[in-house]
Amino acid sequence: MILPIVAYGDPVLRKVCSDIDQEYEGLETLLSNMWDTMYNANGVGLAAPQIGLPIRLFMVDTSPFAEDEDLTEEEREQLAGFKKVFINAKIIEETGTNWAFNEGCLSIPEIREDVSRRDTINIRYMDEEFKWHTHSYDGLLARVIQHEYDHIEGILFTDKISSLKKRLLKGKLTNITKGKIQVDYKMRFPMLKKGR
């Protein structure tokens, strides 16, 4: 089932999310719905807060990047087969050089900005079977994971841009909050649900 994606301005996007355990009700259905929602919106990642749930859960499928001819053959192969669920994730370490990449977000449609992040991460997380894993990722893969991880920490990519750029985007961000935007996927707008 395709769920509405929560738009910029909703308080759930600013919450530091809570861990879940194997008793979390309806997890299998939730994961299935989140995959459907992400693919319907042509996303490469989706975090639970983006569908209104303040829990430490996100998913990533970087296969769309496998077509990007600007990437090396090795990078394209790595991205083509990467599809994972991350539960109760914790980034242990971010290392390497900072590099900028143009990011967007399903909760903030029509806005893309260059965001600087470290190129390597070490992350500990559970899979959908609640088995623990610790992995290092680098490059674009690390970036997609960092972006989704930020969501479960209550951080948006717009928090990582300069204050000047934030000021320039203020009007666009306000329009997103009010639902004054055209999107081709289901969204929930914070100002609309309050009857404004």
Side-chain angles (χ1 to χ4, degrees):
M1 182 171 78
I2 293 163
L3 306 167
I5 291 173
V6 171
Y8 179 89
D10 193 299
V12 74
L13 295 175
R14 293 305 187 177
K15 287 191 170 142
V16 175
C17 297
S18 305
D19 284 354
I20 59 170
D21 60 24
Q22 284 163 294
E23 308 304 307
Y24 191 85
E25 201 173 322
L27 182 63
E28 200 174 314
T29 304
L30 173 62
L31 291 174
S32 170
N33 292 345
M34 283 179 71
W35 286 121
D36 289 349
T37 302
M38 185 184 93
Y39 292 133
N40 178 65
N42 296 315
V44 292
L46 186 68
Q50 293 182 276
I51 52 147
L53 297 173
I55 57 173
R56 294 186 79 80
L57 164 65
F58 65 87
M59 51 187 39
V60 168
D61 182 349
T62 55
S63 53
F65 286 120
E67 309 299 313
D68 189 338
E69 290 175 8
D70 291 338
L71 301 171
T72 67
E73 183 86 24
E74 188 187 350
E75 285 173 317
R76 290 205 303 261
E77 274 176 34
Q78 182 192 32
L79 295 161
F82 193 86
K83 179 180 174 178
K84 269 193 196 331
V85 169
F86 293 78
I87 296 173
N88 301 338
K90 188 76 190 154
I91 289 183
I92 300 161
E93 191 178 26
E94 293 179 309
T95 56
T97 53
N98 275 315
W99 64 293
F101 186 82
N102 198 252
E103 293 188 24
C105 179
L106 297 178
S107 293
I108 313 174
E110 293 186 4
I111 292 179
R112 298 192 66 85
E113 288 294 333
D114 283 350
V115 175
S116 188
R117 296 184 189 272
R118 298 242 181 209
D119 69 1
T120 305
I121 60 165
N122 193 7
I123 187 168
R124 189 164 191 263
Y125 66 95
M126 289 174 156
D127 60 24
E128 54 268 61
E129 308 295 321
F130 285 85
K131 290 187 177 71
W132 281 106
H133 302 270
T134 303
H135 282 297
S136 283
Y137 298 107
D138 60 13
L140 204 44
L141 208 45
R143 176 170 295 270
V144 175
I145 294 166
Q146 285 164 314
H147 178 107
E148 297 309 323
Y149 180 82
D150 278 352
H151 275 300
I152 64 169
E153 292 289 327
I155 299 164
L156 299 171
F157 84 92
T158 48
D159 299 339
K160 296 181 176 284
I161 60 175
S162 72
S163 51
L164 172 64
K165 280 197 174 151
K166 277 186 207 154
R167 281 201 300 277
L168 294 173
L169 290 173
K170 196 168 188 247
K172 278 186 175 181
L173 292 169
T174 301
N175 284 343
I176 292 169
T177 302
K178 291 178 178 174
K180 293 181 178 175
I181 189 164
Q182 290 295 310
V183 277
D184 55 4
Y185 50 88
K186 269 203 301 197
M187 287 196 83
R188 192 178 91 207
F189 300 98
M191 299 284 271
L192 281 184
K193 73 180 181 193
K194 291 177 188 153
R196 285 187 211 158

